[in-house]
Amino acid sequence: MAGSIGSVISVRDFDRDQILHVLSVAERMEAEDHFGLLQGKVLATIFLEPSTRTRLSFASAMMRLGGQVLDFGDSEQSSFKKGESLSDAIRVVAGYCDVIVLRHPWEGAARLAARIAGRPVINAGDGANQHPTQTFLDLYTIRKVCGRIDGLTVGFVGDLKYGRTVHSLATALARFDCRQVFVAPPLLAVPDELRQELDEAGVGYEQTEDLHAVLPTLDIIYCTRIQEERFADSVEYERVKGAYRVDLALLREAGARDELRIMHPLPRVDELSADLDDTPFAVYFEQARNGVPVRQALLAMVLGQA
Ligand code: NCD
């Protein structure tokens, strides 16, 4: 398996052992300095949707391994403005680098790019579909803070319909012995295809709107932002806006476990209160930091160096 991953497009392409292998390479990256491992290699980052953590942690990961980074920049200033197609842009950028990290609003964009690039492509989010590298850092964080992945109850809260981090992580957790609880109003419920996938895999999950009731059973709350930009209808967004707010008072009232850990891919808007930030429940800033070793591992692996 080592070094044999071509591109990173979807968590569906990884079985349990392959996932665990990525996590162990990430552990090595965090434990030791690997500066020089990717010396002479160039990463091109193409982000056609907003990004802070994913773009910067990929750049940081590449630099920490001695590689260099070319950023495509703002699409408004690029050849897309002149009408260039995604496939032409990918073919051209592929000639300037060794690996491409792509974020694009279309579902399937990364898969298309991987077919034509002739270089490894890493999906940094394709619309509401998948965000596999976030999932690897989420699993890495879960294992680090809980000591294991198997046996945990993970409650997803917020926008389970459009949240790609939710879709990827739920698929990955289906490879482990976890109980998944999906907490959302009907308008934000997990897509049918994901439920079908879990059903076919024989994975147990629950759906509810009542966070208060399930909270005492949770080991992890995976809280997410309502993805305003993905709503076709702004009236629908207004109806679900502010549907949940996780704060210290809620945890106390509902009787959360002391061991409960709260994750969030960030950015947060109003669904997660800052009054949790300095409590042991909060692991979301550590989660964001874990993006660096995990992305170091993925870059090294797709480039055949780990
Ligand atoms: C997420 C994304 O882009 O899907 N952000 C991230 O990569 N950490 C979550 C979000 O935008 O809400």
Side-chain angles (χ1 to χ4, degrees):
M1 162 67 209
S4 68
I5 49 173
S7 286
V8 180
I9 305 301
S10 167
V11 165
R12 290 195 192 90
D13 303 330
F14 291 80
D15 65 22
R16 179 187 165 105
D17 285 347
Q18 290 169 322
I19 291 173
L20 290 172
H21 183 62
V22 173
L23 303 191
S24 68
V25 176
E27 244 158 33
R28 279 211 313 272
M29 291 294 172
E30 192 173 4
E32 301 147 27
D33 183 1
H34 291 268
F35 189 79
L37 189 67
L38 297 185
Q39 194 173 5
K41 300 287 184 194
V42 176
L43 160 68
T45 52
I46 308 178
F47 279 75
L48 304 178
E49 283 188 339
S51 174
T52 300
R53 273 150 291 273
T54 308
R55 189 167 54 86
L56 293 183
S57 63
F58 262 115
S60 170
M62 192 65 182
M63 290 170 182
R64 284 174 195 277
L65 294 177
Q68 293 195 296
V69 185
L70 275 179
D71 185 59
F72 187 83
D74 179 356
S75 63
E76 288 296 303
Q77 303 297 326
S78 74
S79 52
F80 289 122
K81 236 357 216 184
K82 301 181 185 170
E84 185 166 52
S85 67
L86 174 65
S87 15
D88 280 4
I90 292 292
R91 270 185 245 268
V92 171
V93 172
Y96 305 153
C97 68
D98 301 287
V99 50
I100 295 175
V101 171
L102 174 69
R103 172 171 288 185
H104 197 284
W106 299 343
E107 301 190 5
R111 181 87 62 199
L112 168 82
R115 272 208 298 273
I116 56 183
R119 302 246 174 285
V121 171
I122 301 179
N123 184 5
D126 59 331
N129 187 30
Q130 283 269 316
H131 194 345
T133 69
Q134 178 72 41
T135 293
F136 285 117
L137 78 88
D138 292 342
L139 294 170
Y140 186 78
T141 305
I142 292 173
R143 202 164 71 159
K144 214 163 145 187
V145 301
C146 299
R148 66 193 200 285
I149 300 172
D150 288 310
L152 298 175
T153 299
V154 180
F156 290 94
V157 178
D159 189 345
L160 314 190
K161 180 177 181 184
Y162 297 114
R164 55 192 172 198
T165 65
V166 172
H167 304 158
S168 290
L169 183 56
T171 293
L173 289 178
R175 276 112 168 101
F176 295 85
D177 178 22
C178 289
R179 180 172 153 246
Q180 304 196 42
V181 185
F182 298 117
V183 187
L187 268 177
L188 297 178
V190 276
D192 290 344
E193 313 84 78
L194 178 58
R195 282 192 293 121
Q196 219 172 317
E197 183 183 321
L198 299 180
D199 287 337
E200 279 163 18
V203 171
Y205 62 88
E206 286 153 53
Q207 278 187 288
T208 177
E209 283 187 65
D210 191 350
L211 176 57
H212 209 276
V214 294
L215 215 149
T217 71
L218 304 180
D219 297 299
I220 291 181
I221 291 180
Y222 192 90
C223 190
T224 60
R225 174 180 72 90
I226 299 187
Q227 310 275 298
E228 180 178 3
E229 68 279 21
R230 306 212 190 279
F231 281 71
D233 182 347
S234 61
V235 177
E236 281 204 352
Y237 172 69
E238 289 302 322
R239 278 171 57 197
V240 291
K241 187 172 110 179
Y244 295 99
R245 181 171 166 82
V246 177
D247 60 15
L248 206 45
L250 172 76
L251 300 196
R252 287 207 185 108
E253 276 164 39
R257 294 179 178 165
D258 288 343
E259 303 76 34
L260 172 75
R261 294 293 173 263
I262 300 173
M263 299 176 66
H264 192 306
L266 302 175
R268 66 177 154 189
V269 185
D270 54 7
E271 65 283 351
L272 179 60
S273 167
D275 72 3
L276 289 162
D277 292 359
D278 296 322
T279 70
F281 297 116
V283 297
Y284 29 91
F285 292 117
E286 174 175 356
Q287 183 185 353
R289 269 198 308 278
N290 289 335
V292 176
V294 168
R295 290 177 169 128
Q296 282 182 296
L298 291 167
L299 287 166
M301 290 172 81
V302 298
L303 291 169
Q305 299 299 318

